[in-house]
Structure formats: C-alpha cells, structure tokens
Amino acid sequence: MELTVKQTVSWITRWADYINQHVNELNELDTAIGDGDHGTNLNRGTQAVKQALFEEKPKTIQMTYRTTAMSLVSTIGGASGALLGTAFLTMARLTKEGETKLEVLLSEATKSMKKRGHSDVGMKTLIDLWEPASKALSQHRLTYYKVEEYVENTKKMKAAKGRSSYLRERSIGHIDPVAKSSSYLFVALLEELDQKY
Ligand code: ADP
Ligand code: MG
C-alpha cells in the first residue's frame, strides 16, 4: 500500500498523540525492566517530530521521514532514539530511491534496526513488534488484535539486548516498553488506513 504525504504526516502525528496519552504507562513498563524514562523520552521525541512536521510542512514523503528521523535522534537519548532514528532514515533513503510500498519500507526499516542493534526476533525488543507487524502488513493481515498479541508475546521472552538484559530471568513476565510504544505506531497506521490490512 502507498500513503500520500498528507497521510504520512497524519500517521506520524497520530503516533505522537498516542505516545502523549500514554507517557505514564510507558514509564511504568520501563520502570519494571529498565530505567523508567521511556515514556518521557519518547514523548519529548515525538512532540518534537510533531512540531517539526507542523513547521516544515514537508512536500515529499522522503522529507517527512527524514524530518521524523532527525527530530527523534536529536531529542531522544538511549537505544530507542538511535534505533527508531535508523528506522525512519532507512524509510527516507528508500523513498528517495523510488520505493513507494509502505510494507517494503517498514520491513527494510526493521532489517536496518536488526543490523544496527545486532538483534533479532525473540530478544524482547522493538524488533518483536516491527518484524511480525510489517510481515502481517505485507500479507494484508495486520489487525489491532494482532498488534496487541505481538506486544503480549514479549512478556514471556527473556531480554537479550539493552538494559533489561541485565535482569536475565527477572525480565520475564514484563512487556518490552519499546515494543509497546511501537505498537502505537502500527495502531496509528491501521487507523490511518482505516481498514484491515
Ligand atoms: P536505554 O536503556 O538506553 O534507556 P531506551 O529506554 O531508550 O534505552 O530503550 C530500551 C529499549 O530499546 C529496549 O526495551 C529494547 O526494546 C530496545 N533495545 C535496546 N537495545 C537494543 C538492541 N541492541 N537491539 C534492538 N533493540 C534494542
Ligand atoms: Mg530507558
């Protein structure tokens, strides 16, 4: 599927609004297995994105993703800022090269985050959301229910990357905070598409 520039901006803005409404929830999830700041950090980042998109009024999809990436990287410290920045920069680069299919952009973004973080599915990271969600999207089978299921699946996993991996077995039983915050990106997308894909 393809989005227009307007839909792309609207999608990312919707995500920013979701994060803004769930700061406490995300901080609480990060308190259990991290340093408790994920909601606050990501909210700072996505609000900066929203502001930048509003001010710049990007004319192309490439610029929209690029602005998103730059704002995220410059305002969020930590692993999630670098990884999400990588995802949107990849989407900007591929769009510039002529790729228009959103499902391709999202799966390539997932690949570059895996490369950057030396991570894969099953390590209790945002990859456990991005990979199955982008795969389901390309098969036109992504639903709200599935997005929720991918988030819940991270509960039973033992963290193998980042700060939460220091907890080893004690990380089991908790949702990965960045899988949760990324789930809002896909929920926002489903809303934008306003149909089951
Ligand atoms: P920090 O621990 O630096 O505060 P954040 O709170 O920004 O990091 O993000 C932590 C999240 O980043 C983890 O919950 C996990 O989803 C993700 N993460 C951390 N390291 C990696 C990695 N190497 N590969 C993929 N995801 C990772
Ligand atoms: Mg953190």
Side-chain angles (χ1 to χ4, degrees):
M1 78 229 39
E2 293 174 17
L3 296 182
T4 62
V5 178
K6 198 170 159 223
Q7 283 177 311
T8 308
V9 171
S10 167
W11 165 37
I12 294 169
T13 305
R14 259 176 212 275
W15 178 44
D17 292 342
Y18 263 113
I19 299 304
N20 190 250
Q21 288 155 14
H22 294 90
V23 176
N24 292 339
E25 174 199 49
L26 295 170
N27 280 341
E28 279 164 25
L29 291 176
D30 195 32
T31 299
I33 56 169
D35 55 358
D37 61 358
H38 181 57
T40 307
N41 277 341
L42 188 60
N43 190 43
R44 185 170 57 240
T46 48
Q47 288 303 306
V49 168
K50 190 175 167 178
Q51 182 70 19
L53 292 176
F54 179 75
E55 283 170 9
E56 286 176 26
K57 305 206 170 12
K59 297 278 178 297
T60 63
I61 296 176
Q62 182 216 334
M63 283 312 297
T64 309
Y65 290 144
R66 204 182 151 73
T67 298
T68 301
M70 292 326 223
S71 305
L72 289 176
V73 170
S74 61
T75 50
I76 312 180
S80 57
L83 290 165
L84 293 168
T86 298
F88 283 102
L89 266 190
T90 300
M91 289 166 73
R93 177 174 55 77
L94 291 175
T95 305
K96 191 179 177 195
E97 289 168 13
E99 181 58 65
T100 54
K101 289 197 204 76
L102 186 60
E103 56 272 41
V104 174
L105 298 177
L106 288 166
S107 49
E108 289 300 317
T110 306
K111 277 188 205 157
S112 42
M113 289 193 287
K114 282 164 78 169
K115 218 176 191 178
R116 175 98 196 245
H118 304 283
S119 52
D120 209 336
V121 285
M123 293 182 168
K124 200 182 184 91
T125 70
L126 77 176
I127 301 300
D128 292 304
L129 198 292
W130 280 72
E131 176 141 320
S134 48
K135 203 172 272 175
L137 192 72
S138 44
Q139 297 166 343
H140 297 247
R141 291 209 312 237
L142 189 65
T143 60
Y144 297 100
Y145 175 77
K146 285 219 165 134
V147 172
E148 209 40 55
E149 194 178 271
Y150 304 144
V151 171
E152 284 298 315
N153 282 346
T154 68
K155 240 186 203 177
K156 59 177 184 283
M157 296 175 187
K158 186 169 87 174
K161 289 285 169 186
R163 210 183 288 272
S164 51
S165 66
Y166 306 150
L167 295 174
R168 300 168 193 266
E169 272 70 23
R170 278 181 291 135
S171 67
I172 296 171
H174 302 280
I175 285 170
D176 180 64
V178 190
K180 183 69 192 182
S181 59
S182 290
S183 79
Y184 292 125
L185 181 69
F186 285 87
V187 165
L189 177 60
L190 286 173
E191 283 178 358
E192 194 56 46
L193 297 167
D194 199 25
Q195 50 188 309
K196 186 162 85 72
Y197 265 95

PDB file of all heavy atoms in Angstrom, residues 138-164:
ATOM      1  N   SER A 138       2.368  -6.767   5.026  1.00  0.00           N
ATOM      2  CA  SER A 138       2.595  -7.085   3.612  1.00  0.00           C
ATOM      3  C   SER A 138       1.697  -8.223   3.144  1.00  0.00           C
ATOM      4  O   SER A 138       1.462  -8.382   1.960  1.00  0.00           O
ATOM      5  CB  SER A 138       4.069  -7.365   3.310  1.00  0.00           C
ATOM      6  OG  SER A 138       4.616  -8.186   4.286  1.00  0.00           O
ATOM      7  N   GLN A 139       1.189  -8.995   4.111  1.00  0.00           N
ATOM      8  CA  GLN A 139       0.243 -10.061   3.729  1.00  0.00           C
ATOM      9  C   GLN A 139      -1.201  -9.591   3.867  1.00  0.00           C
ATOM     10  O   GLN A 139      -2.124 -10.395   3.805  1.00  0.00           O
ATOM     11  CB  GLN A 139       0.474 -11.290   4.625  1.00  0.00           C
ATOM     12  CG  GLN A 139       1.859 -11.899   4.440  1.00  0.00           C
ATOM     13  CD  GLN A 139       2.224 -12.889   5.548  1.00  0.00           C
ATOM     14  OE1 GLN A 139       1.607 -12.911   6.615  1.00  0.00           O
ATOM     15  NE2 GLN A 139       3.227 -13.703   5.298  1.00  0.00           N
ATOM     16  N   HIS A 140      -1.370  -8.296   4.104  1.00  0.00           N
ATOM     17  CA  HIS A 140      -2.706  -7.691   4.273  1.00  0.00           C
ATOM     18  C   HIS A 140      -3.468  -8.350   5.420  1.00  0.00           C
ATOM     19  O   HIS A 140      -4.678  -8.551   5.344  1.00  0.00           O
ATOM     20  CB  HIS A 140      -3.522  -7.780   2.973  1.00  0.00           C
ATOM     21  CG  HIS A 140      -2.898  -7.001   1.858  1.00  0.00           C
ATOM     22  ND1 HIS A 140      -3.473  -5.880   1.301  1.00  0.00           N
ATOM     23  CD2 HIS A 140      -1.722  -7.156   1.221  1.00  0.00           C
ATOM     24  CE1 HIS A 140      -2.677  -5.399   0.364  1.00  0.00           C
ATOM     25  NE2 HIS A 140      -1.600  -6.151   0.303  1.00  0.00           N
ATOM     26  N   ARG A 141      -2.714  -8.727   6.459  1.00  0.00           N
ATOM     27  CA  ARG A 141      -3.364  -9.430   7.569  1.00  0.00           C
ATOM     28  C   ARG A 141      -3.139  -8.754   8.911  1.00  0.00           C
ATOM     29  O   ARG A 141      -3.322  -9.380   9.953  1.00  0.00           O
ATOM     30  CB  ARG A 141      -2.835 -10.879   7.634  1.00  0.00           C
ATOM     31  CG  ARG A 141      -3.298 -11.734   6.466  1.00  0.00           C
ATOM     32  CD  ARG A 141      -3.410 -13.195   6.835  1.00  0.00           C
ATOM     33  NE  ARG A 141      -2.224 -13.688   7.536  1.00  0.00           N
ATOM     34  CZ  ARG A 141      -1.486 -14.711   7.120  1.00  0.00           C
ATOM     35  NH1 ARG A 141      -1.794 -15.343   6.015  1.00  0.00           N
ATOM     36  NH2 ARG A 141      -0.467 -15.126   7.823  1.00  0.00           N
ATOM     37  N   LEU A 142      -2.721  -7.508   8.898  1.00  0.00           N
ATOM     38  CA  LEU A 142      -2.483  -6.848  10.183  1.00  0.00           C
ATOM     39  C   LEU A 142      -3.800  -6.315  10.746  1.00  0.00           C
ATOM     40  O   LEU A 142      -4.582  -5.692  10.045  1.00  0.00           O
ATOM     41  CB  LEU A 142      -1.477  -5.699  10.031  1.00  0.00           C
ATOM     42  CG  LEU A 142      -1.013  -5.089  11.354  1.00  0.00           C
ATOM     43  CD1 LEU A 142      -0.234  -6.098  12.189  1.00  0.00           C
ATOM     44  CD2 LEU A 142      -0.163  -3.842  11.133  1.00  0.00           C
ATOM     45  N   THR A 143      -4.024  -6.614  12.024  1.00  0.00           N
ATOM     46  CA  THR A 143      -5.227  -6.119  12.703  1.00  0.00           C
ATOM     47  C   THR A 143      -4.810  -5.539  14.058  1.00  0.00           C
ATOM     48  O   THR A 143      -3.697  -5.793  14.531  1.00  0.00           O
ATOM     49  CB  THR A 143      -6.220  -7.276  12.986  1.00  0.00           C
ATOM     50  OG1 THR A 143      -5.560  -8.231  13.819  1.00  0.00           O
ATOM     51  CG2 THR A 143      -6.687  -7.943  11.712  1.00  0.00           C
ATOM     52  N   TYR A 144      -5.717  -4.812  14.689  1.00  0.00           N
ATOM     53  CA  TYR A 144      -5.449  -4.265  16.030  1.00  0.00           C
ATOM     54  C   TYR A 144      -5.157  -5.401  17.003  1.00  0.00           C
ATOM     55  O   TYR A 144      -4.290  -5.314  17.853  1.00  0.00           O
ATOM     56  CB  TYR A 144      -6.665  -3.476  16.535  1.00  0.00           C
ATOM     57  CG  TYR A 144      -6.985  -2.277  15.685  1.00  0.00           C
ATOM     58  CD1 TYR A 144      -7.991  -2.324  14.735  1.00  0.00           C
ATOM     59  CD2 TYR A 144      -6.256  -1.095  15.836  1.00  0.00           C
ATOM     60  CE1 TYR A 144      -8.271  -1.216  13.949  1.00  0.00           C
ATOM     61  CE2 TYR A 144      -6.533   0.011  15.051  1.00  0.00           C
ATOM     62  CZ  TYR A 144      -7.543  -0.056  14.109  1.00  0.00           C
ATOM     63  OH  TYR A 144      -7.809   1.028  13.335  1.00  0.00           O
ATOM     64  N   TYR A 145      -5.933  -6.474  16.844  1.00  0.00           N
ATOM     65  CA  TYR A 145      -5.781  -7.616  17.732  1.00  0.00           C
ATOM     66  C   TYR A 145      -4.371  -8.207  17.635  1.00  0.00           C
ATOM     67  O   TYR A 145      -3.744  -8.526  18.640  1.00  0.00           O
ATOM     68  CB  TYR A 145      -6.843  -8.670  17.389  1.00  0.00           C
ATOM     69  CG  TYR A 145      -6.686  -9.933  18.180  1.00  0.00           C
ATOM     70  CD1 TYR A 145      -7.097  -9.999  19.515  1.00  0.00           C
ATOM     71  CD2 TYR A 145      -6.094 -11.062  17.607  1.00  0.00           C
ATOM     72  CE1 TYR A 145      -6.923 -11.157  20.258  1.00  0.00           C
ATOM     73  CE2 TYR A 145      -5.912 -12.218  18.341  1.00  0.00           C
ATOM     74  CZ  TYR A 145      -6.330 -12.261  19.661  1.00  0.00           C
ATOM     75  OH  TYR A 145      -6.147 -13.406  20.394  1.00  0.00           O
ATOM     76  N   LYS A 146      -3.895  -8.325  16.387  1.00  0.00           N
ATOM     77  CA  LYS A 146      -2.553  -8.890  16.180  1.00  0.00           C
ATOM     78  C   LYS A 146      -1.478  -8.002  16.800  1.00  0.00           C
ATOM     79  O   LYS A 146      -0.533  -8.489  17.421  1.00  0.00           O
ATOM     80  CB  LYS A 146      -2.272  -9.057  14.691  1.00  0.00           C
ATOM     81  CG  LYS A 146      -3.010 -10.221  14.085  1.00  0.00           C
ATOM     82  CD  LYS A 146      -2.132 -10.928  13.075  1.00  0.00           C
ATOM     83  CE  LYS A 146      -2.717 -12.278  12.759  1.00  0.00           C
ATOM     84  NZ  LYS A 146      -2.748 -12.552  11.328  1.00  0.00           N
ATOM     85  N   VAL A 147      -1.628  -6.701  16.635  1.00  0.00           N
ATOM     86  CA  VAL A 147      -0.642  -5.771  17.200  1.00  0.00           C
ATOM     87  C   VAL A 147      -0.557  -5.997  18.714  1.00  0.00           C
ATOM     88  O   VAL A 147       0.533  -6.100  19.285  1.00  0.00           O
ATOM     89  CB  VAL A 147      -1.014  -4.301  16.876  1.00  0.00           C
ATOM     90  CG1 VAL A 147      -0.102  -3.330  17.614  1.00  0.00           C
ATOM     91  CG2 VAL A 147      -0.940  -4.051  15.370  1.00  0.00           C
ATOM     92  N   GLU A 148      -1.711  -6.144  19.330  1.00  0.00           N
ATOM     93  CA  GLU A 148      -1.767  -6.370  20.784  1.00  0.00           C
ATOM     94  C   GLU A 148      -1.114  -7.700  21.151  1.00  0.00           C
ATOM     95  O   GLU A 148      -0.416  -7.808  22.163  1.00  0.00           O
ATOM     96  CB  GLU A 148      -3.242  -6.322  21.224  1.00  0.00           C
ATOM     97  CG  GLU A 148      -3.468  -5.850  22.636  1.00  0.00           C
ATOM     98  CD  GLU A 148      -2.558  -4.698  23.052  1.00  0.00           C
ATOM     99  OE1 GLU A 148      -2.510  -3.643  22.380  1.00  0.00           O
ATOM    100  OE2 GLU A 148      -1.849  -4.879  24.061  1.00  0.00           O
ATOM    101  N   GLU A 149      -1.339  -8.683  20.309  1.00  0.00           N
ATOM    102  CA  GLU A 149      -0.768 -10.011  20.537  1.00  0.00           C
ATOM    103  C   GLU A 149       0.779  -9.962  20.486  1.00  0.00           C
ATOM    104  O   GLU A 149       1.451 -10.577  21.314  1.00  0.00           O
ATOM    105  CB  GLU A 149      -1.295 -10.935  19.442  1.00  0.00           C
ATOM    106  CG  GLU A 149      -1.107 -12.397  19.679  1.00  0.00           C
ATOM    107  CD  GLU A 149      -1.736 -13.194  18.535  1.00  0.00           C
ATOM    108  OE1 GLU A 149      -2.933 -13.527  18.625  1.00  0.00           O
ATOM    109  OE2 GLU A 149      -1.035 -13.465  17.532  1.00  0.00           O
ATOM    110  N   TYR A 150       1.332  -9.221  19.533  1.00  0.00           N
ATOM    111  CA  TYR A 150       2.793  -9.112  19.429  1.00  0.00           C
ATOM    112  C   TYR A 150       3.367  -8.463  20.694  1.00  0.00           C
ATOM    113  O   TYR A 150       4.405  -8.870  21.189  1.00  0.00           O
ATOM    114  CB  TYR A 150       3.226  -8.288  18.210  1.00  0.00           C
ATOM    115  CG  TYR A 150       2.689  -8.788  16.884  1.00  0.00           C
ATOM    116  CD1 TYR A 150       2.321  -7.893  15.879  1.00  0.00           C
ATOM    117  CD2 TYR A 150       2.538 -10.156  16.638  1.00  0.00           C
ATOM    118  CE1 TYR A 150       1.816  -8.344  14.666  1.00  0.00           C
ATOM    119  CE2 TYR A 150       2.030 -10.611  15.427  1.00  0.00           C
ATOM    120  CZ  TYR A 150       1.668  -9.698  14.448  1.00  0.00           C
ATOM    121  OH  TYR A 150       1.168 -10.140  13.257  1.00  0.00           O
ATOM    122  N   VAL A 151       2.662  -7.462  21.212  1.00  0.00           N
ATOM    123  CA  VAL A 151       3.109  -6.801  22.446  1.00  0.00           C
ATOM    124  C   VAL A 151       3.099  -7.812  23.589  1.00  0.00           C
ATOM    125  O   VAL A 151       4.080  -7.957  24.324  1.00  0.00           O
ATOM    126  CB  VAL A 151       2.191  -5.602  22.794  1.00  0.00           C
ATOM    127  CG1 VAL A 151       2.525  -5.059  24.169  1.00  0.00           C
ATOM    128  CG2 VAL A 151       2.307  -4.512  21.745  1.00  0.00           C
ATOM    129  N   GLU A 152       1.989  -8.531  23.731  1.00  0.00           N
ATOM    130  CA  GLU A 152       1.835  -9.511  24.819  1.00  0.00           C
ATOM    131  C   GLU A 152       2.892 -10.618  24.723  1.00  0.00           C
ATOM    132  O   GLU A 152       3.363 -11.109  25.746  1.00  0.00           O
ATOM    133  CB  GLU A 152       0.429 -10.130  24.781  1.00  0.00           C
ATOM    134  CG  GLU A 152      -0.660  -9.208  25.313  1.00  0.00           C
ATOM    135  CD  GLU A 152      -0.472  -8.845  26.787  1.00  0.00           C
ATOM    136  OE1 GLU A 152      -0.178  -9.747  27.585  1.00  0.00           O
ATOM    137  OE2 GLU A 152      -0.608  -7.646  27.118  1.00  0.00           O
ATOM    138  N   ASN A 153       3.243 -10.986  23.485  1.00  0.00           N
ATOM    139  CA  ASN A 153       4.252 -12.040  23.295  1.00  0.00           C
ATOM    140  C   ASN A 153       5.595 -11.691  23.928  1.00  0.00           C
ATOM    141  O   ASN A 153       6.351 -12.583  24.304  1.00  0.00           O
ATOM    142  CB  ASN A 153       4.478 -12.298  21.796  1.00  0.00           C
ATOM    143  CG  ASN A 153       3.382 -13.144  21.198  1.00  0.00           C
ATOM    144  OD1 ASN A 153       2.596 -13.759  21.926  1.00  0.00           O
ATOM    145  ND2 ASN A 153       3.297 -13.172  19.873  1.00  0.00           N
ATOM    146  N   THR A 154       5.901 -10.390  24.033  1.00  0.00           N
ATOM    147  CA  THR A 154       7.211 -10.018  24.594  1.00  0.00           C
ATOM    148  C   THR A 154       7.284 -10.331  26.091  1.00  0.00           C
ATOM    149  O   THR A 154       8.371 -10.423  26.652  1.00  0.00           O
ATOM    150  CB  THR A 154       7.554  -8.520  24.373  1.00  0.00           C
ATOM    151  OG1 THR A 154       6.663  -7.699  25.145  1.00  0.00           O
ATOM    152  CG2 THR A 154       7.474  -8.124  22.910  1.00  0.00           C
ATOM    153  N   LYS A 155       6.106 -10.500  26.716  1.00  0.00           N
ATOM    154  CA  LYS A 155       6.051 -10.779  28.160  1.00  0.00           C
ATOM    155  C   LYS A 155       6.826 -12.039  28.525  1.00  0.00           C
ATOM    156  O   LYS A 155       7.552 -12.083  29.508  1.00  0.00           O
ATOM    157  CB  LYS A 155       4.584 -10.977  28.568  1.00  0.00           C
ATOM    158  CG  LYS A 155       4.088 -10.004  29.605  1.00  0.00           C
ATOM    159  CD  LYS A 155       2.679 -10.377  30.031  1.00  0.00           C
ATOM    160  CE  LYS A 155       1.986  -9.162  30.590  1.00  0.00           C
ATOM    161  NZ  LYS A 155       0.595  -9.461  30.961  1.00  0.00           N
ATOM    162  N   LYS A 156       6.627 -13.068  27.734  1.00  0.00           N
ATOM    163  CA  LYS A 156       7.237 -14.360  28.090  1.00  0.00           C
ATOM    164  C   LYS A 156       8.722 -14.455  27.681  1.00  0.00           C
ATOM    165  O   LYS A 156       9.400 -15.408  28.022  1.00  0.00           O
ATOM    166  CB  LYS A 156       6.437 -15.510  27.468  1.00  0.00           C
ATOM    167  CG  LYS A 156       6.321 -15.475  25.960  1.00  0.00           C
ATOM    168  CD  LYS A 156       5.568 -16.716  25.469  1.00  0.00           C
ATOM    169  CE  LYS A 156       5.494 -16.780  23.951  1.00  0.00           C
ATOM    170  NZ  LYS A 156       4.483 -15.873  23.364  1.00  0.00           N
ATOM    171  N   MET A 157       9.195 -13.444  26.956  1.00  0.00           N
ATOM    172  CA  MET A 157      10.586 -13.505  26.484  1.00  0.00           C
ATOM    173  C   MET A 157      11.573 -13.040  27.546  1.00  0.00           C
ATOM    174  O   MET A 157      11.243 -12.202  28.376  1.00  0.00           O
ATOM    175  CB  MET A 157      10.757 -12.612  25.247  1.00  0.00           C
ATOM    176  CG  MET A 157       9.961 -13.072  24.063  1.00  0.00           C
ATOM    177  SD  MET A 157      10.100 -11.877  22.716  1.00  0.00           S
ATOM    178  CE  MET A 157       8.916 -12.567  21.561  1.00  0.00           C
ATOM    179  N   LYS A 158      12.784 -13.579  27.438  1.00  0.00           N
ATOM    180  CA  LYS A 158      13.875 -13.131  28.307  1.00  0.00           C
ATOM    181  C   LYS A 158      14.685 -12.109  27.515  1.00  0.00           C
ATOM    182  O   LYS A 158      15.070 -12.379  26.369  1.00  0.00           O
ATOM    183  CB  LYS A 158      14.747 -14.335  28.679  1.00  0.00           C
ATOM    184  CG  LYS A 158      15.822 -14.009  29.690  1.00  0.00           C
ATOM    185  CD  LYS A 158      16.478 -15.275  30.215  1.00  0.00           C
ATOM    186  CE  LYS A 158      17.612 -15.684  29.307  1.00  0.00           C
ATOM    187  NZ  LYS A 158      18.394 -16.820  29.813  1.00  0.00           N
ATOM    188  N   ALA A 159      14.919 -10.938  28.110  1.00  0.00           N
ATOM    189  CA  ALA A 159      15.604  -9.866  27.381  1.00  0.00           C
ATOM    190  C   ALA A 159      17.044 -10.249  27.072  1.00  0.00           C
ATOM    191  O   ALA A 159      17.773 -10.718  27.950  1.00  0.00           O
ATOM    192  CB  ALA A 159      15.565  -8.580  28.194  1.00  0.00           C
ATOM    193  N   ALA A 160      17.422 -10.054  25.818  1.00  0.00           N
ATOM    194  CA  ALA A 160      18.793 -10.400  25.413  1.00  0.00           C
ATOM    195  C   ALA A 160      19.579  -9.168  24.971  1.00  0.00           C
ATOM    196  O   ALA A 160      20.759  -9.257  24.663  1.00  0.00           O
ATOM    197  CB  ALA A 160      18.751 -11.434  24.295  1.00  0.00           C
ATOM    198  N   LYS A 161      18.909  -8.003  24.911  1.00  0.00           N
ATOM    199  CA  LYS A 161      19.583  -6.782  24.456  1.00  0.00           C
ATOM    200  C   LYS A 161      19.238  -5.615  25.374  1.00  0.00           C
ATOM    201  O   LYS A 161      18.169  -5.585  25.974  1.00  0.00           O
ATOM    202  CB  LYS A 161      19.136  -6.432  23.037  1.00  0.00           C
ATOM    203  CG  LYS A 161      19.656  -7.361  21.981  1.00  0.00           C
ATOM    204  CD  LYS A 161      21.123  -7.113  21.702  1.00  0.00           C
ATOM    205  CE  LYS A 161      21.693  -8.223  20.831  1.00  0.00           C
ATOM    206  NZ  LYS A 161      23.131  -8.099  20.646  1.00  0.00           N
ATOM    207  N   GLY A 162      20.133  -4.674  25.441  1.00  0.00           N
ATOM    208  CA  GLY A 162      19.853  -3.447  26.196  1.00  0.00           C
ATOM    209  C   GLY A 162      19.860  -3.658  27.697  1.00  0.00           C
ATOM    210  O   GLY A 162      20.218  -4.732  28.206  1.00  0.00           O
ATOM    211  N   ARG A 163      19.443  -2.595  28.379  1.00  0.00           N
ATOM    212  CA  ARG A 163      19.472  -2.553  29.835  1.00  0.00           C
ATOM    213  C   ARG A 163      18.711  -3.708  30.500  1.00  0.00           C
ATOM    214  O   ARG A 163      19.145  -4.265  31.504  1.00  0.00           O
ATOM    215  CB  ARG A 163      18.821  -1.232  30.262  1.00  0.00           C
ATOM    216  CG  ARG A 163      19.319  -0.627  31.536  1.00  0.00           C
ATOM    217  CD  ARG A 163      18.508   0.630  31.825  1.00  0.00           C
ATOM    218  NE  ARG A 163      18.839   1.731  30.928  1.00  0.00           N
ATOM    219  CZ  ARG A 163      19.812   2.615  31.155  1.00  0.00           C
ATOM    220  NH1 ARG A 163      20.547   2.514  32.225  1.00  0.00           N
ATOM    221  NH2 ARG A 163      20.033   3.595  30.313  1.00  0.00           N
ATOM    222  N   SER A 164      17.546  -4.057  29.920  1.00  0.00           N
ATOM    223  CA  SER A 164      16.704  -5.094  30.542  1.00  0.00           C
ATOM    224  C   SER A 164      17.386  -6.465  30.533  1.00  0.00           C
ATOM    225  O   SER A 164      17.025  -7.328  31.328  1.00  0.00           O
ATOM    226  CB  SER A 164      15.356  -5.172  29.828  1.00  0.00           C
ATOM    227  OG  SER A 164      15.547  -5.296  28.441  1.00  0.00           O
TER     228      SER A 164
END
